[in-house]
Amino acid sequence: MSTRDGRAWFPLPVRWTLAVSLALLTSTACGSQAHEADPTAGRATAGPAGLGPAPGGAGCPAGGGAVPDDVNRAGTDDLDGDGLADELWLAHDEGLRLLGVSTAGGARFSVVLNQWDEGAQEQRAGDRVSALAGRLGDGSAVILVNLGRSAALYSVVNCYIVATTDTENRPWLFDLGYEGTGDGVGCVGDASGRILVSYRAEYDSAKQTYTVSRRTVTLDRTGKRAGAGRSEVLGRGLAEGSAEVRRAQSVSCGNNAEISEPVF
């Protein structure tokens, strides 16, 4: 389903051509030795080499750059596939915003989030980003970065954080009510069947109620590409402030905590 100008109904694969540029390379590595970024990850992250296996595997090898002192962090799902809970963090280092993961096994990897780029058009001066992460039922490990007006989708792939794109290689953004194409995003269901969805809460001014819909978002087997799946109506005639409407207007992933970046 599309709008009259042909844009996707929701979520919104961003129409800007820059990578929200939430994804520039941070080139730290195990110890002080530089590590070349995964060439298929689009200059996305830095971290120890190795594959992120399926849950119950060895996980990412220990190592990577030190976590900056100016950091906010929270525990989250297993993101590297070793079956142990990991940690998501947002930090500042030498004027850069960093989004990072520290695993239970001692791996550390991060990506630079630019403050002033085309992705910043989604923000107002002084806005702080926030993030939360989770593992989906298909094994994909996703990170949602809330920019205020949209949420950017990242994945943990091969012990890197990569900016997930659509099939045309544009960064995948979920509209949070500013483009009229969506209102929220969430990871729903239990761990074994959890799926990623975008929400739309359409307001009927005559009835003063909402119709809430959701559309599944699926990742390919690499975790680097996303596509919109089927949509379904969850409820009609819903009151403002109802649980269904609040959920549709939020960014969430199970019960995992959302963290905000430190104050500049």
Side-chain angles (χ1 to χ4, degrees):
M1 184 172 180
S2 61
T3 59
R4 278 180 286 182
D5 61 1
R7 290 178 299 164
W9 176 44
F10 73 107
L12 178 65
V14 74
R15 63 178 182 271
W16 296 286
T17 55
L18 294 181
V20 181
S21 286
L22 293 167
L24 293 178
L25 175 64
T26 308
S27 57
T28 50
C30 298
S32 59
Q33 182 180 3
H35 173 71
E36 191 69 23
D38 179 354
T40 66
R43 299 186 68 215
T45 75
L51 298 179
C60 295
V67 178
D69 293 332
D70 189 12
V71 63
N72 288 335
R73 62 181 87 200
T76 190
D77 291 344
D78 167 30
L79 300 180
D80 69 337
D82 63 359
L84 301 174
D86 295 322
E87 185 178 74
L88 182 71
W89 47 267
L90 284 167
H92 296 155
D93 187 35
E94 297 182 353
L96 297 176
R97 286 170 156 163
L98 299 180
L99 168 69
V101 169
S102 296
T103 73
R108 298 176 299 277
F109 43 96
S110 62
V111 63
V112 174
L113 302 181
N114 275 354
Q115 183 176 12
W116 305 117
D117 54 27
E118 290 217 23
Q121 293 180 12
E122 295 292 286
Q123 298 180 271
R124 296 162 298 187
D127 277 359
R128 294 162 66 195
V129 303
S130 60
L132 69 166
R135 181 173 284 276
L136 304 180
D138 65 2
S140 303
V142 297
I143 303 173
L144 302 172
V145 178
N146 188 338
L147 300 169
R149 293 173 177 261
S150 66
L153 177 60
Y154 285 81
S155 299
V156 177
V157 180
N158 296 346
C159 302
Y160 293 89
I161 301 173
V162 300
T164 305
T165 66
D166 65 12
T167 55
E168 297 180 2
N169 208 36
R170 297 174 299 181
W172 190 280
L173 288 186
F174 296 93
D175 181 26
L176 299 183
Y178 288 85
E179 291 289 330
T181 60
D183 294 282
V185 54
C187 310
V188 299
D190 59 26
S192 62
R194 183 182 287 167
I195 59 173
L196 182 64
V197 301
S198 58
Y199 290 103
R200 191 175 187 191
E202 298 178 89
Y203 183 64
D204 185 329
S205 58
K207 297 180 180 178
Q208 298 185 334
T209 60
Y210 287 84
T211 296
V212 170
S213 304
R214 77 180 185 190
R215 184 184 296 275
T216 58
V217 176
T218 57
L219 279 73
D220 69 7
R221 62 183 182 82
T222 71
K224 301 172 186 178
R225 297 281 189 275
R230 68 183 183 89
S231 64
E232 60 181 326
V233 175
L234 301 180
R236 305 180 190 274
L238 300 172
E240 185 172 2
S242 64
E244 295 89 346
V245 173
R246 290 199 309 271
R247 185 180 305 112
Q249 295 175 334
S250 67
V251 178
S252 63
C253 194
N255 295 319
N256 292 324
E258 184 174 11
I259 54 170
S260 295
E261 67 174 317
V263 177
F264 270 105

